[in-house]
Amino acid sequence: MLPSSVRVYLSAEAVDLRRGHDGLAALVRRQWGDALYEGHLFVFVGRRLDRCKILFWDRGGFVLYYKRLERGRFRMPPVSKDGTAVEMDSTGLAMLLYGIDVARVRRPEPWRPRLRPAA
Protein backbone atom coordinates (compact mmCIF):
# COMPACT_ATOMS: atom_id res chain seq x y z
CA MET A 1 0.00 0.00 0.00
CA LEU A 2 1.23 3.47 -0.86
CA PRO A 3 1.21 6.39 1.58
CA SER A 4 -1.85 8.64 1.22
CA SER A 5 0.44 11.47 0.08
CA VAL A 6 1.27 9.57 -3.13
CA ARG A 7 -1.23 10.12 -5.89
CA VAL A 8 -1.77 7.76 -8.81
CA TYR A 9 -2.65 9.32 -12.16
CA LEU A 10 -3.82 7.08 -15.01
CA SER A 11 -3.72 8.49 -18.53
CA ALA A 12 -7.08 7.65 -20.10
CA GLU A 13 -5.68 7.80 -23.62
CA ALA A 14 -3.58 5.01 -25.13
CA VAL A 15 0.13 5.82 -25.22
CA ASP A 16 2.87 4.60 -27.52
CA LEU A 17 4.79 2.47 -25.03
CA ARG A 18 7.97 2.61 -27.08
CA ARG A 19 8.46 5.87 -25.19
CA GLY A 20 11.00 5.67 -22.43
CA HIS A 21 11.70 7.76 -19.34
CA ASP A 22 12.11 11.06 -21.21
CA GLY A 23 9.16 10.62 -23.57
CA LEU A 24 6.77 9.72 -20.77
CA ALA A 25 8.16 12.50 -18.56
CA ALA A 26 7.36 14.97 -21.36
CA LEU A 27 3.75 13.71 -21.42
CA VAL A 28 3.52 14.11 -17.65
CA ARG A 29 4.97 17.63 -17.75
CA ARG A 30 2.44 18.65 -20.39
CA GLN A 31 -0.54 17.26 -18.46
CA TRP A 32 0.44 17.54 -14.78
CA GLY A 33 3.32 20.04 -14.74
CA ASP A 34 5.62 20.01 -11.72
CA ALA A 35 3.82 17.06 -10.10
CA LEU A 36 6.36 14.98 -12.03
CA TYR A 37 8.97 15.46 -9.29
CA GLU A 38 6.69 14.96 -6.26
CA GLY A 39 6.88 11.15 -6.08
CA HIS A 40 3.45 10.51 -7.59
CA LEU A 41 2.84 7.56 -9.94
CA PHE A 42 1.91 8.18 -13.58
CA VAL A 43 0.34 5.18 -15.28
CA PHE A 44 0.20 4.68 -19.05
CA VAL A 45 -1.50 1.84 -20.92
CA GLY A 46 -0.84 0.83 -24.52
CA ARG A 47 -3.37 0.69 -27.34
CA ARG A 48 -3.96 -3.09 -26.99
CA LEU A 49 -4.47 -2.74 -23.20
CA ASP A 50 -2.04 -5.58 -22.50
CA ARG A 51 0.97 -3.44 -21.54
CA CYS A 52 1.41 -0.81 -18.89
CA LYS A 53 4.19 1.53 -17.80
CA ILE A 54 4.37 3.45 -14.54
CA LEU A 55 6.74 6.39 -14.23
CA PHE A 56 7.77 8.03 -10.98
CA TRP A 57 10.57 10.15 -9.55
CA ASP A 58 12.63 8.65 -6.75
CA ARG A 59 15.68 10.21 -5.07
CA GLY A 60 17.27 11.97 -7.99
CA GLY A 61 16.12 9.76 -10.86
CA PHE A 62 13.17 8.40 -12.77
CA VAL A 63 11.96 4.85 -12.27
CA LEU A 64 10.00 3.06 -14.98
CA TYR A 65 7.93 0.00 -14.11
CA TYR A 66 6.74 -2.08 -17.07
CA LYS A 67 4.19 -4.89 -17.08
CA ARG A 68 2.99 -7.02 -19.97
CA LEU A 69 0.05 -9.34 -19.46
CA GLU A 70 0.49 -12.76 -21.04
CA ARG A 71 -3.29 -13.23 -21.11
CA GLY A 72 -6.17 -10.79 -20.95
CA ARG A 73 -6.22 -7.03 -20.89
CA PHE A 74 -6.07 -4.28 -18.33
CA ARG A 75 -9.56 -3.09 -17.39
CA MET A 76 -9.69 0.69 -17.54
CA PRO A 77 -11.82 2.47 -14.92
CA PRO A 78 -14.65 4.70 -16.13
CA VAL A 79 -13.52 8.07 -17.47
CA SER A 80 -15.73 11.11 -17.99
CA LYS A 81 -16.21 12.08 -21.63
CA ASP A 82 -14.08 15.21 -21.26
CA GLY A 83 -11.47 13.51 -19.06
CA THR A 84 -7.97 12.67 -20.21
CA ALA A 85 -6.83 11.15 -16.91
CA VAL A 86 -8.14 9.41 -13.82
CA GLU A 87 -6.84 9.83 -10.30
CA MET A 88 -6.95 6.61 -8.34
CA ASP A 89 -5.72 5.21 -5.04
CA SER A 90 -3.26 2.38 -4.48
CA THR A 91 -6.07 -0.19 -4.27
CA GLY A 92 -7.40 0.89 -7.66
CA LEU A 93 -3.89 0.63 -9.12
CA ALA A 94 -3.44 -2.87 -7.69
CA MET A 95 -6.76 -3.96 -9.20
CA LEU A 96 -5.78 -2.48 -12.56
CA LEU A 97 -2.42 -4.30 -12.54
CA TYR A 98 -4.12 -7.60 -11.66
CA GLY A 99 -6.63 -7.16 -14.51
CA ILE A 100 -9.64 -6.71 -12.22
CA ASP A 101 -12.53 -4.77 -13.76
CA VAL A 102 -12.67 -1.76 -11.42
CA ALA A 103 -16.02 -0.65 -12.87
CA ARG A 104 -17.65 -3.86 -11.61
CA VAL A 105 -16.21 -3.73 -8.10
CA ARG A 106 -18.37 -2.18 -5.42
CA ARG A 107 -16.19 -0.63 -2.77
CA PRO A 108 -17.57 0.30 0.66
CA GLU A 109 -17.77 3.91 1.71
CA PRO A 110 -14.65 4.86 3.67
CA TRP A 111 -15.17 5.34 7.38
CA ARG A 112 -14.96 8.91 8.64
CA PRO A 113 -15.14 9.97 12.27
CA ARG A 114 -18.12 12.06 13.32
CA LEU A 115 -17.28 15.64 13.97
CA ARG A 116 -18.31 16.93 17.37
CA PRO A 117 -20.58 19.94 17.27
CA ALA A 118 -18.88 23.18 18.27
CA ALA A 119 -19.68 24.17 21.84
Side-chain angles (χ1 to χ4, degrees):
M1 181 159 270
L2 298 170
S4 60
S5 61
V6 176
R7 293 187 175 144
V8 179
Y9 298 102
L10 170 66
S11 177
E13 299 170 357
V15 172
D16 180 356
L17 292 181
R18 292 177 292 181
R19 291 176 181 248
H21 297 78
D22 296 331
L24 293 174
L27 291 176
V28 171
R29 264 190 229 105
R30 188 172 43 210
Q31 189 160 353
W32 293 285
D34 288 338
L36 177 62
Y37 299 102
E38 295 176 5
H40 303 310
L41 304 181
F42 300 94
V43 183
F44 302 94
V45 178
R47 183 177 40 83
R48 294 186 300 185
L49 298 176
D50 66 341
R51 295 157 200 253
C52 172
K53 284 188 176 180
I54 302 173
L55 178 73
F56 61 97
W57 178 260
D58 181 52
R59 298 185 181 170
F62 286 111
V63 177
L64 191 59
Y65 173 85
Y66 182 57
K67 181 168 185 175
R68 181 186 74 199
L69 293 176
E70 295 300 323
R71 288 190 192 158
R73 302 196 184 294
F74 293 110
R75 309 283 187 206
M76 297 293 282
V79 179
S80 64
K81 290 182 182 181
D82 61 342
T84 58
V86 175
E87 187 172 344
M88 56 188 357
D89 61 9
S90 60
T91 303
L93 176 61
M95 288 191 290
L96 176 79
L97 293 176
Y98 281 114
I100 297 171
D101 188 351
V102 179
R104 303 182 103 197
V105 173
R106 195 176 135 236
R107 295 170 70 175
E109 285 291 319
W111 180 85
R112 291 190 174 93
R114 282 192 229 174
L115 299 175
R116 293 183 185 179

